[in-house]
PDB file of all heavy atoms in Angstrom:
ATOM      1  N   LEU H  47      -0.608  -6.036   0.030  1.00  0.00           N
ATOM      2  CA  LEU H  47      -0.393  -4.585  -0.078  1.00  0.00           C
ATOM      3  C   LEU H  47      -1.505  -3.853   0.678  1.00  0.00           C
ATOM      4  O   LEU H  47      -1.218  -2.889   1.399  1.00  0.00           O
ATOM      5  CB  LEU H  47      -0.367  -4.154  -1.553  1.00  0.00           C
ATOM      6  CG  LEU H  47      -0.295  -2.655  -1.783  1.00  0.00           C
ATOM      7  CD1 LEU H  47       1.045  -2.108  -1.301  1.00  0.00           C
ATOM      8  CD2 LEU H  47      -0.466  -2.353  -3.272  1.00  0.00           C
ATOM      9  N   LEU H  48      -2.737  -4.304   0.508  1.00  0.00           N
ATOM     10  CA  LEU H  48      -3.836  -3.634   1.179  1.00  0.00           C
ATOM     11  C   LEU H  48      -3.691  -3.742   2.698  1.00  0.00           C
ATOM     12  O   LEU H  48      -3.874  -2.776   3.431  1.00  0.00           O
ATOM     13  CB  LEU H  48      -5.154  -4.284   0.743  1.00  0.00           C
ATOM     14  CG  LEU H  48      -6.443  -3.659   1.285  1.00  0.00           C
ATOM     15  CD1 LEU H  48      -6.556  -2.204   0.903  1.00  0.00           C
ATOM     16  CD2 LEU H  48      -7.660  -4.432   0.804  1.00  0.00           C
ATOM     17  N   GLU H  49      -3.319  -4.952   3.180  1.00  0.00           N
ATOM     18  CA  GLU H  49      -3.153  -5.143   4.622  1.00  0.00           C
ATOM     19  C   GLU H  49      -2.028  -4.267   5.144  1.00  0.00           C
ATOM     20  O   GLU H  49      -2.155  -3.676   6.230  1.00  0.00           O
ATOM     21  CB  GLU H  49      -2.856  -6.615   4.891  1.00  0.00           C
ATOM     22  CG  GLU H  49      -4.027  -7.552   4.624  1.00  0.00           C
ATOM     23  CD  GLU H  49      -3.628  -9.015   4.729  1.00  0.00           C
ATOM     24  OE1 GLU H  49      -2.440  -9.268   5.008  1.00  0.00           O
ATOM     25  OE2 GLU H  49      -4.475  -9.891   4.506  1.00  0.00           O
ATOM     26  N   SER H  50      -0.954  -4.173   4.421  1.00  0.00           N
ATOM     27  CA  SER H  50       0.169  -3.367   4.879  1.00  0.00           C
ATOM     28  C   SER H  50      -0.211  -1.884   4.946  1.00  0.00           C
ATOM     29  O   SER H  50       0.180  -1.186   5.899  1.00  0.00           O
ATOM     30  CB  SER H  50       1.361  -3.561   3.916  1.00  0.00           C
ATOM     31  OG  SER H  50       2.481  -2.753   4.343  1.00  0.00           O
ATOM     32  N   SER H  51      -1.004  -1.436   3.958  1.00  0.00           N
ATOM     33  CA  SER H  51      -1.389  -0.015   3.966  1.00  0.00           C
ATOM     34  C   SER H  51      -2.368   0.312   5.072  1.00  0.00           C
ATOM     35  O   SER H  51      -2.505   1.481   5.451  1.00  0.00           O
ATOM     36  CB  SER H  51      -1.974   0.356   2.614  1.00  0.00           C
ATOM     37  OG  SER H  51      -3.233  -0.340   2.417  1.00  0.00           O
ATOM     38  N   GLN H  52      -3.046  -0.690   5.605  1.00  0.00           N
ATOM     39  CA  GLN H  52      -4.064  -0.449   6.618  1.00  0.00           C
ATOM     40  C   GLN H  52      -3.608  -0.795   8.034  1.00  0.00           C
ATOM     41  O   GLN H  52      -4.256  -0.446   9.006  1.00  0.00           O
ATOM     42  CB  GLN H  52      -5.314  -1.256   6.312  1.00  0.00           C
ATOM     43  CG  GLN H  52      -6.026  -0.825   5.017  1.00  0.00           C
ATOM     44  CD  GLN H  52      -7.226  -1.682   4.676  1.00  0.00           C
ATOM     45  OE1 GLN H  52      -7.353  -2.803   5.174  1.00  0.00           O
ATOM     46  NE2 GLN H  52      -8.114  -1.179   3.843  1.00  0.00           N
ATOM     47  N   SER H  53      -2.473  -1.504   8.132  1.00  0.00           N
ATOM     48  CA  SER H  53      -2.023  -1.924   9.446  1.00  0.00           C
ATOM     49  C   SER H  53      -1.150  -0.899  10.094  1.00  0.00           C
ATOM     50  O   SER H  53      -0.460  -0.113   9.424  1.00  0.00           O
ATOM     51  CB  SER H  53      -1.259  -3.273   9.327  1.00  0.00           C
ATOM     52  OG  SER H  53      -0.086  -3.079   8.551  1.00  0.00           O
ATOM     53  N   LEU H  54      -1.106  -0.887  11.398  1.00  0.00           N
ATOM     54  CA  LEU H  54      -0.239  -0.017  12.159  1.00  0.00           C
ATOM     55  C   LEU H  54       1.116  -0.662  12.317  1.00  0.00           C
ATOM     56  O   LEU H  54       1.229  -1.881  12.501  1.00  0.00           O
ATOM     57  CB  LEU H  54      -0.832   0.286  13.541  1.00  0.00           C
ATOM     58  CG  LEU H  54      -2.144   1.036  13.531  1.00  0.00           C
ATOM     59  CD1 LEU H  54      -2.672   1.147  14.975  1.00  0.00           C
ATOM     60  CD2 LEU H  54      -2.007   2.428  12.925  1.00  0.00           C
ATOM     61  N   SER H  55       2.186   0.142  12.203  1.00  0.00           N
ATOM     62  CA  SER H  55       3.529  -0.388  12.353  1.00  0.00           C
ATOM     63  C   SER H  55       3.783  -0.836  13.754  1.00  0.00           C
ATOM     64  O   SER H  55       3.339  -0.231  14.727  1.00  0.00           O
ATOM     65  CB  SER H  55       4.542   0.695  11.938  1.00  0.00           C
ATOM     66  OG  SER H  55       5.844   0.258  12.277  1.00  0.00           O
ATOM     67  N   LEU H  56       4.519  -1.967  13.907  1.00  0.00           N
ATOM     68  CA  LEU H  56       4.860  -2.488  15.199  1.00  0.00           C
ATOM     69  C   LEU H  56       6.068  -1.778  15.797  1.00  0.00           C
ATOM     70  O   LEU H  56       6.267  -1.783  17.018  1.00  0.00           O
ATOM     71  CB  LEU H  56       5.148  -3.984  15.102  1.00  0.00           C
ATOM     72  CG  LEU H  56       3.980  -4.858  14.650  1.00  0.00           C
ATOM     73  CD1 LEU H  56       4.441  -6.293  14.517  1.00  0.00           C
ATOM     74  CD2 LEU H  56       2.813  -4.780  15.623  1.00  0.00           C
ATOM     75  N   PHE H  57       6.899  -1.177  14.966  1.00  0.00           N
ATOM     76  CA  PHE H  57       8.160  -0.637  15.438  1.00  0.00           C
ATOM     77  C   PHE H  57       8.291   0.871  15.266  1.00  0.00           C
ATOM     78  O   PHE H  57       9.208   1.482  15.779  1.00  0.00           O
ATOM     79  CB  PHE H  57       9.312  -1.312  14.716  1.00  0.00           C
ATOM     80  CG  PHE H  57       9.274  -2.802  14.783  1.00  0.00           C
ATOM     81  CD1 PHE H  57       8.851  -3.568  13.699  1.00  0.00           C
ATOM     82  CD2 PHE H  57       9.616  -3.449  15.973  1.00  0.00           C
ATOM     83  CE1 PHE H  57       8.804  -4.939  13.801  1.00  0.00           C
ATOM     84  CE2 PHE H  57       9.560  -4.841  16.055  1.00  0.00           C
ATOM     85  CZ  PHE H  57       9.162  -5.581  14.996  1.00  0.00           C
ATOM     86  N   SER H  58       7.394   1.494  14.513  1.00  0.00           N
ATOM     87  CA  SER H  58       7.506   2.920  14.313  1.00  0.00           C
ATOM     88  C   SER H  58       6.134   3.503  14.026  1.00  0.00           C
ATOM     89  O   SER H  58       5.161   2.760  13.813  1.00  0.00           O
ATOM     90  CB  SER H  58       8.460   3.240  13.153  1.00  0.00           C
ATOM     91  OG  SER H  58       7.902   2.769  11.950  1.00  0.00           O
ATOM     92  N   ASP H  59       6.049   4.809  14.038  1.00  0.00           N
ATOM     93  CA  ASP H  59       4.785   5.478  13.758  1.00  0.00           C
ATOM     94  C   ASP H  59       4.463   5.541  12.257  1.00  0.00           C
ATOM     95  O   ASP H  59       3.323   5.640  11.853  1.00  0.00           O
ATOM     96  CB  ASP H  59       4.796   6.872  14.308  1.00  0.00           C
ATOM     97  CG  ASP H  59       4.844   6.888  15.847  1.00  0.00           C
ATOM     98  OD1 ASP H  59       4.332   5.911  16.427  1.00  0.00           O
ATOM     99  OD2 ASP H  59       5.389   7.798  16.402  1.00  0.00           O
ATOM    100  N   LYS H  60       5.508   5.467  11.429  1.00  0.00           N
ATOM    101  CA  LYS H  60       5.318   5.635   9.993  1.00  0.00           C
ATOM    102  C   LYS H  60       6.077   4.581   9.238  1.00  0.00           C
ATOM    103  O   LYS H  60       7.140   4.140   9.646  1.00  0.00           O
ATOM    104  CB  LYS H  60       5.799   7.021   9.562  1.00  0.00           C
ATOM    105  CG  LYS H  60       5.058   8.201  10.226  1.00  0.00           C
ATOM    106  CD  LYS H  60       5.586   9.526   9.716  1.00  0.00           C
ATOM    107  CE  LYS H  60       4.856  10.666  10.330  1.00  0.00           C
ATOM    108  NZ  LYS H  60       5.358  11.980   9.847  1.00  0.00           N
ATOM    109  N   GLN H  61       5.523   4.180   8.054  1.00  0.00           N
ATOM    110  CA  GLN H  61       6.213   3.163   7.239  1.00  0.00           C
ATOM    111  C   GLN H  61       6.230   3.576   5.793  1.00  0.00           C
ATOM    112  O   GLN H  61       5.288   4.180   5.268  1.00  0.00           O
ATOM    113  CB  GLN H  61       5.567   1.801   7.411  1.00  0.00           C
ATOM    114  CG  GLN H  61       4.175   1.671   6.883  1.00  0.00           C
ATOM    115  CD  GLN H  61       3.674   0.219   6.936  1.00  0.00           C
ATOM    116  OE1 GLN H  61       4.463  -0.715   6.996  1.00  0.00           O
ATOM    117  NE2 GLN H  61       2.373   0.020   6.878  1.00  0.00           N
ATOM    118  N   LEU H  62       7.323   3.207   5.123  1.00  0.00           N
ATOM    119  CA  LEU H  62       7.482   3.424   3.708  1.00  0.00           C
ATOM    120  C   LEU H  62       7.166   2.139   2.969  1.00  0.00           C
ATOM    121  O   LEU H  62       7.689   1.051   3.335  1.00  0.00           O
ATOM    122  CB  LEU H  62       8.940   3.848   3.431  1.00  0.00           C
ATOM    123  CG  LEU H  62       9.364   3.858   1.957  1.00  0.00           C
ATOM    124  CD1 LEU H  62       8.584   4.915   1.173  1.00  0.00           C
ATOM    125  CD2 LEU H  62      10.874   4.144   1.858  1.00  0.00           C
ATOM    126  N   ILE H  63       6.289   2.210   1.985  1.00  0.00           N
ATOM    127  CA  ILE H  63       5.902   1.036   1.209  1.00  0.00           C
ATOM    128  C   ILE H  63       6.363   1.260  -0.217  1.00  0.00           C
ATOM    129  O   ILE H  63       6.018   2.285  -0.828  1.00  0.00           O
ATOM    130  CB  ILE H  63       4.391   0.818   1.229  1.00  0.00           C
ATOM    131  CG1 ILE H  63       3.903   0.615   2.676  1.00  0.00           C
ATOM    132  CG2 ILE H  63       4.003  -0.411   0.400  1.00  0.00           C
ATOM    133  CD1 ILE H  63       2.391   0.571   2.827  1.00  0.00           C
ATOM    134  N   GLU H  64       7.146   0.310  -0.760  1.00  0.00           N
ATOM    135  CA  GLU H  64       7.608   0.410  -2.149  1.00  0.00           C
ATOM    136  C   GLU H  64       7.004  -0.686  -2.962  1.00  0.00           C
ATOM    137  O   GLU H  64       7.025  -1.865  -2.575  1.00  0.00           O
ATOM    138  CB  GLU H  64       9.123   0.357  -2.215  1.00  0.00           C
ATOM    139  CG  GLU H  64       9.810   1.519  -1.522  1.00  0.00           C
ATOM    140  CD  GLU H  64      11.322   1.513  -1.745  1.00  0.00           C
ATOM    141  OE1 GLU H  64      11.754   1.217  -2.860  1.00  0.00           O
ATOM    142  OE2 GLU H  64      12.027   1.841  -0.776  1.00  0.00           O
ATOM    143  N   LEU H  65       6.449  -0.334  -4.101  1.00  0.00           N
ATOM    144  CA  LEU H  65       5.776  -1.295  -4.996  1.00  0.00           C
ATOM    145  C   LEU H  65       6.395  -1.235  -6.383  1.00  0.00           C
ATOM    146  O   LEU H  65       6.380  -0.207  -7.017  1.00  0.00           O
ATOM    147  CB  LEU H  65       4.256  -0.981  -5.047  1.00  0.00           C
ATOM    148  CG  LEU H  65       3.463  -1.832  -6.048  1.00  0.00           C
ATOM    149  CD1 LEU H  65       3.447  -3.291  -5.627  1.00  0.00           C
ATOM    150  CD2 LEU H  65       2.023  -1.287  -6.159  1.00  0.00           C
ATOM    151  N   HIS H  66       6.950  -2.373  -6.822  1.00  0.00           N
ATOM    152  CA  HIS H  66       7.551  -2.464  -8.148  1.00  0.00           C
ATOM    153  C   HIS H  66       6.604  -3.231  -9.077  1.00  0.00           C
ATOM    154  O   HIS H  66       6.279  -4.385  -8.830  1.00  0.00           O
ATOM    155  CB  HIS H  66       8.872  -3.205  -8.068  1.00  0.00           C
ATOM    156  CG  HIS H  66       9.920  -2.495  -7.261  1.00  0.00           C
ATOM    157  ND1 HIS H  66      10.991  -1.796  -7.826  1.00  0.00           N
ATOM    158  CD2 HIS H  66      10.086  -2.387  -5.908  1.00  0.00           C
ATOM    159  CE1 HIS H  66      11.714  -1.269  -6.860  1.00  0.00           C
ATOM    160  NE2 HIS H  66      11.224  -1.609  -5.697  1.00  0.00           N
ATOM    161  N   ILE H  67       6.158  -2.542 -10.128  1.00  0.00           N
ATOM    162  CA  ILE H  67       5.271  -3.160 -11.124  1.00  0.00           C
ATOM    163  C   ILE H  67       6.095  -3.255 -12.425  1.00  0.00           C
ATOM    164  O   ILE H  67       6.162  -2.335 -13.203  1.00  0.00           O
ATOM    165  CB  ILE H  67       3.983  -2.369 -11.349  1.00  0.00           C
ATOM    166  CG1 ILE H  67       3.298  -2.066 -10.018  1.00  0.00           C
ATOM    167  CG2 ILE H  67       3.042  -3.116 -12.273  1.00  0.00           C
ATOM    168  CD1 ILE H  67       2.053  -1.229 -10.130  1.00  0.00           C
ATOM    169  N   SER H  68       6.749  -4.391 -12.612  1.00  0.00           N
ATOM    170  CA  SER H  68       7.769  -4.516 -13.670  1.00  0.00           C
ATOM    171  C   SER H  68       7.194  -4.353 -15.079  1.00  0.00           C
ATOM    172  O   SER H  68       7.910  -3.861 -15.941  1.00  0.00           O
ATOM    173  CB  SER H  68       8.495  -5.873 -13.558  1.00  0.00           C
ATOM    174  OG  SER H  68       7.577  -6.935 -13.679  1.00  0.00           O
ATOM    175  N   ASN H  69       5.943  -4.710 -15.275  1.00  0.00           N
ATOM    176  CA  ASN H  69       5.359  -4.580 -16.623  1.00  0.00           C
ATOM    177  C   ASN H  69       4.428  -3.364 -16.757  1.00  0.00           C
ATOM    178  O   ASN H  69       3.853  -3.087 -17.818  1.00  0.00           O
ATOM    179  CB  ASN H  69       4.582  -5.851 -17.031  1.00  0.00           C
ATOM    180  CG  ASN H  69       3.422  -6.152 -16.103  1.00  0.00           C
ATOM    181  OD1 ASN H  69       3.155  -5.394 -15.158  1.00  0.00           O
ATOM    182  ND2 ASN H  69       2.749  -7.254 -16.338  1.00  0.00           N
ATOM    183  N   GLY H  70       4.283  -2.596 -15.680  1.00  0.00           N
ATOM    184  CA  GLY H  70       3.437  -1.415 -15.701  1.00  0.00           C
ATOM    185  C   GLY H  70       1.981  -1.698 -15.764  1.00  0.00           C
ATOM    186  O   GLY H  70       1.171  -0.770 -16.009  1.00  0.00           O
ATOM    187  N   LYS H  71       1.574  -2.944 -15.525  1.00  0.00           N
ATOM    188  CA  LYS H  71       0.157  -3.335 -15.617  1.00  0.00           C
ATOM    189  C   LYS H  71      -0.273  -4.043 -14.361  1.00  0.00           C
ATOM    190  O   LYS H  71      -0.034  -5.246 -14.172  1.00  0.00           O
ATOM    191  CB  LYS H  71      -0.054  -4.223 -16.831  1.00  0.00           C
ATOM    192  CG  LYS H  71       0.319  -3.577 -18.182  1.00  0.00           C
ATOM    193  CD  LYS H  71       0.157  -4.536 -19.326  1.00  0.00           C
ATOM    194  CE  LYS H  71       0.555  -3.890 -20.661  1.00  0.00           C
ATOM    195  NZ  LYS H  71       0.448  -4.839 -21.769  1.00  0.00           N
ATOM    196  N   PRO H  72      -0.901  -3.336 -13.421  1.00  0.00           N
ATOM    197  CA  PRO H  72      -1.319  -3.979 -12.159  1.00  0.00           C
ATOM    198  C   PRO H  72      -2.424  -5.020 -12.317  1.00  0.00           C
ATOM    199  O   PRO H  72      -2.623  -5.829 -11.457  1.00  0.00           O
ATOM    200  CB  PRO H  72      -1.787  -2.815 -11.301  1.00  0.00           C
ATOM    201  CG  PRO H  72      -2.121  -1.718 -12.285  1.00  0.00           C
ATOM    202  CD  PRO H  72      -1.175  -1.905 -13.446  1.00  0.00           C
ATOM    203  N   GLY H  73      -3.133  -4.988 -13.466  1.00  0.00           N
ATOM    204  CA  GLY H  73      -4.161  -5.985 -13.710  1.00  0.00           C
ATOM    205  C   GLY H  73      -5.216  -5.988 -12.625  1.00  0.00           C
ATOM    206  O   GLY H  73      -5.859  -4.983 -12.371  1.00  0.00           O
ATOM    207  N   LYS H  74      -5.372  -7.159 -11.966  1.00  0.00           N
ATOM    208  CA  LYS H  74      -6.360  -7.288 -10.913  1.00  0.00           C
ATOM    209  C   LYS H  74      -6.071  -6.379  -9.743  1.00  0.00           C
ATOM    210  O   LYS H  74      -6.952  -6.119  -8.891  1.00  0.00           O
ATOM    211  CB  LYS H  74      -6.464  -8.723 -10.441  1.00  0.00           C
ATOM    212  CG  LYS H  74      -6.969  -9.704 -11.517  1.00  0.00           C
ATOM    213  CD  LYS H  74      -6.995 -11.137 -10.988  1.00  0.00           C
ATOM    214  CE  LYS H  74      -7.479 -12.105 -12.038  1.00  0.00           C
ATOM    215  NZ  LYS H  74      -7.523 -13.505 -11.535  1.00  0.00           N
ATOM    216  N   GLY H  75      -4.862  -5.910  -9.646  1.00  0.00           N
ATOM    217  CA  GLY H  75      -4.486  -5.042  -8.522  1.00  0.00           C
ATOM    218  C   GLY H  75      -4.929  -3.584  -8.720  1.00  0.00           C
ATOM    219  O   GLY H  75      -4.757  -2.764  -7.810  1.00  0.00           O
ATOM    220  N   SER H  76      -5.483  -3.278  -9.859  1.00  0.00           N
ATOM    221  CA  SER H  76      -5.941  -1.903 -10.107  1.00  0.00           C
ATOM    222  C   SER H  76      -6.947  -1.446  -9.056  1.00  0.00           C
ATOM    223  O   SER H  76      -6.848  -0.323  -8.528  1.00  0.00           O
ATOM    224  CB  SER H  76      -6.574  -1.791 -11.495  1.00  0.00           C
ATOM    225  OG  SER H  76      -5.635  -2.142 -12.506  1.00  0.00           O
ATOM    226  N   ASP H  77      -7.902  -2.320  -8.741  1.00  0.00           N
ATOM    227  CA  ASP H  77      -8.907  -1.933  -7.735  1.00  0.00           C
ATOM    228  C   ASP H  77      -8.269  -1.765  -6.366  1.00  0.00           C
ATOM    229  O   ASP H  77      -8.688  -0.862  -5.602  1.00  0.00           O
ATOM    230  CB  ASP H  77     -10.009  -3.035  -7.677  1.00  0.00           C
ATOM    231  CG  ASP H  77     -10.848  -3.056  -8.923  1.00  0.00           C
ATOM    232  OD1 ASP H  77     -10.863  -2.057  -9.673  1.00  0.00           O
ATOM    233  OD2 ASP H  77     -11.487  -4.099  -9.182  1.00  0.00           O
ATOM    234  N   THR H  78      -7.296  -2.604  -6.064  1.00  0.00           N
ATOM    235  CA  THR H  78      -6.604  -2.471  -4.767  1.00  0.00           C
ATOM    236  C   THR H  78      -5.854  -1.155  -4.656  1.00  0.00           C
ATOM    237  O   THR H  78      -5.954  -0.458  -3.625  1.00  0.00           O
ATOM    238  CB  THR H  78      -5.618  -3.645  -4.569  1.00  0.00           C
ATOM    239  OG1 THR H  78      -6.275  -4.889  -4.668  1.00  0.00           O
ATOM    240  CG2 THR H  78      -4.904  -3.548  -3.215  1.00  0.00           C
ATOM    241  N   LEU H  79      -5.159  -0.784  -5.726  1.00  0.00           N
ATOM    242  CA  LEU H  79      -4.447   0.483  -5.705  1.00  0.00           C
ATOM    243  C   LEU H  79      -5.415   1.671  -5.562  1.00  0.00           C
ATOM    244  O   LEU H  79      -5.188   2.593  -4.769  1.00  0.00           O
ATOM    245  CB  LEU H  79      -3.628   0.643  -6.999  1.00  0.00           C
ATOM    246  CG  LEU H  79      -2.269  -0.044  -7.065  1.00  0.00           C
ATOM    247  CD1 LEU H  79      -1.667   0.113  -8.455  1.00  0.00           C
ATOM    248  CD2 LEU H  79      -1.330   0.502  -6.020  1.00  0.00           C
ATOM    249  N   THR H  80      -6.506   1.592  -6.282  1.00  0.00           N
ATOM    250  CA  THR H  80      -7.504   2.648  -6.198  1.00  0.00           C
ATOM    251  C   THR H  80      -8.078   2.725  -4.785  1.00  0.00           C
ATOM    252  O   THR H  80      -8.291   3.851  -4.246  1.00  0.00           O
ATOM    253  CB  THR H  80      -8.653   2.409  -7.197  1.00  0.00           C
ATOM    254  OG1 THR H  80      -8.102   2.275  -8.510  1.00  0.00           O
ATOM    255  CG2 THR H  80      -9.635   3.529  -7.182  1.00  0.00           C
ATOM    256  N   GLN H  81      -8.296   1.591  -4.161  1.00  0.00           N
ATOM    257  CA  GLN H  81      -8.831   1.558  -2.800  1.00  0.00           C
ATOM    258  C   GLN H  81      -7.802   2.139  -1.798  1.00  0.00           C
ATOM    259  O   GLN H  81      -8.172   2.926  -0.899  1.00  0.00           O
ATOM    260  CB  GLN H  81      -9.190   0.133  -2.403  1.00  0.00           C
ATOM    261  CG  GLN H  81      -9.784  -0.016  -1.001  1.00  0.00           C
ATOM    262  CD  GLN H  81     -10.167  -1.447  -0.680  1.00  0.00           C
ATOM    263  OE1 GLN H  81     -10.138  -2.333  -1.551  1.00  0.00           O
ATOM    264  NE2 GLN H  81     -10.480  -1.692   0.576  1.00  0.00           N
ATOM    265  N   VAL H  82      -6.560   1.753  -1.940  1.00  0.00           N
ATOM    266  CA  VAL H  82      -5.490   2.248  -1.051  1.00  0.00           C
ATOM    267  C   VAL H  82      -5.392   3.760  -1.155  1.00  0.00           C
ATOM    268  O   VAL H  82      -5.187   4.459  -0.145  1.00  0.00           O
ATOM    269  CB  VAL H  82      -4.157   1.563  -1.387  1.00  0.00           C
ATOM    270  CG1 VAL H  82      -2.995   2.285  -0.659  1.00  0.00           C
ATOM    271  CG2 VAL H  82      -4.191   0.100  -1.031  1.00  0.00           C
ATOM    272  N   LEU H  83      -5.502   4.272  -2.380  1.00  0.00           N
ATOM    273  CA  LEU H  83      -5.277   5.717  -2.597  1.00  0.00           C
ATOM    274  C   LEU H  83      -6.528   6.587  -2.389  1.00  0.00           C
ATOM    275  O   LEU H  83      -6.450   7.802  -2.371  1.00  0.00           O
ATOM    276  CB  LEU H  83      -4.768   5.942  -4.015  1.00  0.00           C
ATOM    277  CG  LEU H  83      -3.401   5.287  -4.286  1.00  0.00           C
ATOM    278  CD1 LEU H  83      -3.063   5.344  -5.770  1.00  0.00           C
ATOM    279  CD2 LEU H  83      -2.318   5.995  -3.479  1.00  0.00           C
ATOM    280  N   ALA H  84      -7.688   5.917  -2.213  1.00  0.00           N
ATOM    281  CA  ALA H  84      -8.910   6.663  -1.967  1.00  0.00           C
ATOM    282  C   ALA H  84      -8.865   7.434  -0.663  1.00  0.00           C
ATOM    283  O   ALA H  84      -9.342   8.565  -0.596  1.00  0.00           O
ATOM    284  CB  ALA H  84     -10.121   5.715  -1.972  1.00  0.00           C
ATOM    285  N   ALA H  85      -8.239   6.833   0.346  1.00  0.00           N
ATOM    286  CA  ALA H  85      -8.122   7.489   1.645  1.00  0.00           C
ATOM    287  C   ALA H  85      -6.769   7.112   2.192  1.00  0.00           C
ATOM    288  O   ALA H  85      -6.662   6.315   3.165  1.00  0.00           O
ATOM    289  CB  ALA H  85      -9.230   7.070   2.592  1.00  0.00           C
ATOM    290  N   PRO H  86      -5.673   7.648   1.686  1.00  0.00           N
ATOM    291  CA  PRO H  86      -4.328   7.273   2.115  1.00  0.00           C
ATOM    292  C   PRO H  86      -4.070   7.650   3.563  1.00  0.00           C
ATOM    293  O   PRO H  86      -4.454   8.730   4.013  1.00  0.00           O
ATOM    294  CB  PRO H  86      -3.404   8.026   1.156  1.00  0.00           C
ATOM    295  CG  PRO H  86      -4.246   9.185   0.675  1.00  0.00           C
ATOM    296  CD  PRO H  86      -5.644   8.677   0.626  1.00  0.00           C
ATOM    297  N   SER H  87      -3.399   6.759   4.270  1.00  0.00           N
ATOM    298  CA  SER H  87      -3.041   7.013   5.645  1.00  0.00           C
ATOM    299  C   SER H  87      -1.874   7.986   5.725  1.00  0.00           C
ATOM    300  O   SER H  87      -0.901   7.847   5.011  1.00  0.00           O
ATOM    301  CB  SER H  87      -2.701   5.703   6.357  1.00  0.00           C
ATOM    302  OG  SER H  87      -2.097   5.957   7.610  1.00  0.00           O
ATOM    303  N   PRO H  88      -1.932   8.955   6.620  1.00  0.00           N
ATOM    304  CA  PRO H  88      -0.797   9.897   6.781  1.00  0.00           C
ATOM    305  C   PRO H  88       0.446   9.197   7.366  1.00  0.00           C
ATOM    306  O   PRO H  88       1.547   9.787   7.340  1.00  0.00           O
ATOM    307  CB  PRO H  88      -1.346  10.958   7.740  1.00  0.00           C
ATOM    308  CG  PRO H  88      -2.444  10.257   8.479  1.00  0.00           C
ATOM    309  CD  PRO H  88      -3.048   9.278   7.512  1.00  0.00           C
ATOM    310  N   ASP H  89       0.276   7.994   7.880  1.00  0.00           N
ATOM    311  CA  ASP H  89       1.389   7.253   8.480  1.00  0.00           C
ATOM    312  C   ASP H  89       2.085   6.367   7.421  1.00  0.00           C
ATOM    313  O   ASP H  89       3.014   5.652   7.772  1.00  0.00           O
ATOM    314  CB  ASP H  89       0.896   6.385   9.629  1.00  0.00           C
ATOM    315  CG  ASP H  89       0.407   7.231  10.804  1.00  0.00           C
ATOM    316  OD1 ASP H  89       0.935   8.357  10.967  1.00  0.00           O
ATOM    317  OD2 ASP H  89      -0.490   6.788  11.500  1.00  0.00           O
TER     318      ASP H  89
END
């Protein structure tokens, strides 16, 4: 998820990322989500 949020798209200028957290508990991913959202890319 972190790599996808930081990488440039090969086929378009913008990309939509969908994340399904079925139990509502990201666990170890909490830090990753916080990092991704600290400086979200406009693309």
Side-chain angles (χ1 to χ4, degrees):
L47 175 66
L48 183 60
E49 291 172 1
S50 179
S51 67
Q52 295 177 340
S53 63
L54 296 176
S55 170
L56 297 176
F57 305 105
S58 66
D59 293 331
K60 300 180 179 181
Q61 67 173 339
L62 169 64
I63 302 173
E64 296 187 38
L65 174 64
H66 296 257
I67 308 176
S68 59
N69 61 2
K71 299 176 181 179
K74 296 179 180 179
S76 300
D77 291 341
T78 303
L79 278 175
T80 305
Q81 182 179 350
V82 169
L83 296 170
S87 168
D89 294 329

